[in-house]
Structure formats: C-alpha cells, structure tokens
Amino acid sequence: MTQLAARLGLELPLLQAGMGAVAGPGLCAAVSRAGAGGTLALYKEPPARAVRLVREVAAATGRPFGVNVVPEAAGPAACLDQLRAVLPELPRSAFVTSFGLPDADAAGAVRAAGHPLVVQVGTVADAGSALGLGAAVLVLQGTEAGGHLLGRLPVDSLLADVRARYPYALLAVAGGIATGRDLAGAVARGADGAMAGTLFVPAEESIAHPEFKRRVVEAVADDTLVTSLFDIGWPHRPHRVLRNPLTAATTAAATAKRAPATFIATTRVDGREHPVPRYSAAAPGAGTTGRIEEMAMYCGRSCTRVTARLPAAVIVARLGREYESARGNSSPRPTPRPTPRPNRLQERYR
Ligand SMILES: Cc1cc2nc3c(=O)[nH]c(=O)nc-3n(C[C@H](O)[C@H](O)[C@H](O)COP(=O)(O)O)c2cc1C
C-alpha cells in the first residue's frame, strides 16, 4: 500500500490510463475489480453518451474507478459539459483524471463534487500549476510514453525534478511501466505509483482494433517513434505511435508534401458511421474498418515488455505479484520520506 493507493482507495498503486478508442466500460470495470485504478476514456464523447458509459461502469464494479478527460482535444467548453454531465453519476469513490491542465472551471467542478482530481503533466511548471488547481495526485509523463506527449523529459528526470520541488505531493509516473518490477523501480526512485496505457491496449476487454492489439504485442520499443503527423482533430501536440507506412517518410520535407487527407477508414459508434481522414488523431477501435495500418496506433516504449493478449484481471494480478516480490527483494529500500502532508498550494483547497 502506498499513500497514492490509499488516497484513491486502490489495492495496487497503479492507474490504467484513460485511452480514447481503447478504454471503454469493460476495460475500466475489469481493472477496477482487480484492485487497480480502472479509468474510462471520455475523450470527445458527447455528454449523453458519456453518461451511459459511466452508468455501465458503475453497474459493473463496486470498487473505485476513474473517468478521464482531455481538455486540449475536446476543447475546454466541451470538457466542462462532459464533467457536468458525468459528475452527478459518479459513485463517491470515483476519481477524475485529466490529460494536461484542466481550466479552473473544470478543476473547480471536480473539487466541488468531492472527487480526487488526478492531473497528468510533462513539465515541472505544469506540476506546480496542477497543484495550484487542487490536484490530489500528479501523473508525471515521460517521453517514453505512448500517445500524446506533454513534455520533453524522460520520466526519471521529470520525477527527480518534481520530487525535489514538491516533496509531499502524491506522484505517479507514466511512460515505461509494463511490469511490477518497473513499478517497484519507480517507487524506489520516489514515485508513489504509476499509470500504464500501452500495457492495457491488448487486454481482452480493451476495445482497440484487433490489428492494433496484435501490433502492440509484437512491437519492441524501437518500432515506436515520436511524430506530429496525426494532427487532424488534435493539432500541435507530438505523439508516440507505432511506425507505419505513413511514418516511414516523416522527414520535414515529406511531411510538407504529404499524401492528401482523404478518408481512409470508417468508425461505427452507436450505429452511426464516422469517416476517418488520413492523418486523423483517432486510433483504430473495434468498430473501425478500412486502412487500419495507416491509422495512429499510439504505443509507448514499454511495448517490448507487453507480449500477450490477456484478461485485465490477469495483467493486474501478475503485475501485483511482481511488484510485491520486487519490493521484497529491492535493495536499497526506498528512501524514507517524511509523512506526507499537503503542500501550501494544496492546503488552500482543502
Ligand atoms: C493508445 C493510447 C491512447 C491514449 N489516449 C489517452 C487519452 O485518451 N487520455 C489520456 O489521458 N491519455 C491517453 N494516453 C496517454 C496515457 O495517459 C499515458 O501517458 C501513457 O499511456 C503512458 O505510457 P505507456 O503507454 O507507455 O504506459 C494514451 C496512450 C495510449 C498508448
């Protein structure tokens, strides 16, 4: 048990990342039932559908789970609408995770509803801003991570910098976590826990496209790269993806005269078809048909250690066992820290 697990009511200090086109109610509920922080992706879901998805999770687990918003992709107004719709539906034990800084209204709505706010950041400056917004937990994302990248530092450097500046903050790391040994290593280096995304992409309950799952299982770290190619629907944010025919030519010159953004696939949601242009930020889900191999398959460098399609309960149980045994064997033991107390910024919002 770490302070982070205690704060969020988890058995294991591990959060599953909210992931658009991957983390639906089935994955979220299965991870939550297994004792980790299952999280439902709201990404660009319209509020009415978001409410239905939250109700599905709440009906399937009595344990804490999270809902994830992406203010930068959804837009601040739409993000606030999502939150206003789902907050009244959440059980008391639920938490809310935000990819990047939410605005003051969104953070205030989460706090007013009494749910812990978990904010993922990629810089020391944003860590301070997130604490100023009342974040209960910070997720420090390193450049090893799959998906969109919030900063430029490898995860260990970011952790060391943020821990030095905010000794009492609850910190999880994101990027490079796929085993219990990875988690134990992060805790030994001063983290209170971790968030993993790529690890759960091939889970049985994940709604990622089967081809996406297959590629993640087969990939090693160097099959991923950071690009800005998949910018339709979420511009100006570099992202780590699996290499594919489009990324093969990602020199600046090739990007400038890239192939036309014609529709290459279709995603069916609630019986309605949504065309997917080439270079869309949307990842291929179970309901996507077309040129899957040309779509954005977000994947972290941790994929080397993700080697099977398993039920989420098995993934979490195995990671928990590895974590316990790695902690038992770890030498030296983690540096003792003073009993956590809120820092001045957090105190203001108590
Ligand atoms: C397929 C995929 C989709 C993602 N989508 C989201 C998202 O919708 N919201 C979010 O907060 N983070 C998202 N992320 C990023 C994660 O929050 C996290 O930073 C990352 O998964 C950590 O690195 P790892 O994938 O190596 O574990 C996504 C990551 C992946 C791999």
Side-chain angles (χ1 to χ4, degrees), residues 17-20 68 70 99 120 141 145-146 174-176 195-198 212 298 300 302:
M19 294 178 279
N68 168 252
V70 188
F99 185 81
Q120 189 165 177
Q141 189 205 43
M195 174 181 279
T198 300
F212 185 9
Y298 301 107
S302 59

Side-chain angles (χ1 to χ4, degrees), residues 17-20 22 41 43 68-70 97-99 120 141 144-148 174-177 195-199 201 212 298-302:
M19 294 178 279
V22 174
Y43 190 53
N68 168 252
V69 292
V70 188
T97 71
S98 176
F99 185 81
Q120 189 165 177
Q141 189 205 43
E144 301 88 338
H148 291 75
I177 303 294
M195 174 181 279
T198 300
L199 173 65
V201 171
F212 185 9
Y298 301 107
C299 182
R301 289 185 61 84
S302 59

Side-chain angles (χ1 to χ4, degrees), residues 74-91:
C79 176
L80 192 56
D81 287 346
Q82 287 175 325
L83 287 170
R84 286 189 174 138
V86 301
L87 284 170
E89 303 289 332
L90 292 178

Side-chain angles (χ1 to χ4, degrees), residues 148 227-235 237 239 241-242 244 246-247 258 278-282 294-298:
H148 291 75
T227 177
S228 294
L229 207 57
F230 298 99
D231 60 357
I232 296 181
W234 189 348
R237 180 65 70 188
H239 32 272
V241 293
L242 288 170
N244 76 6
L246 294 187
T247 67
R258 63 188 196 176
R278 186 180 279 121
Y279 309 115
S280 167
E294 287 192 22
M295 290 181 67
M297 297 192 199
Y298 301 107

Side-chain angles (χ1 to χ4, degrees), residues 104-182:
D105 290 343
V110 175
R111 282 202 322 271
H115 299 286
L117 175 63
V118 178
V119 180
Q120 189 165 177
V121 296
T123 66
V124 177
D126 282 356
S129 302
L131 291 173
L133 287 166
V137 175
L138 303 183
V139 179
L140 308 178
Q141 189 205 43
T143 48
E144 301 88 338
H148 291 75
L149 295 179
L150 292 160
R152 290 162 184 248
L153 288 178
V155 73
D156 285 349
S157 309
L158 184 61
L159 172 62
D161 288 354
V162 175
R163 178 54 81 207
R165 197 165 280 222
Y166 302 106
Y168 304 114
L170 290 180
L171 305 179
V173 293
I177 303 294
T179 68
R181 181 174 284 271
D182 296 334

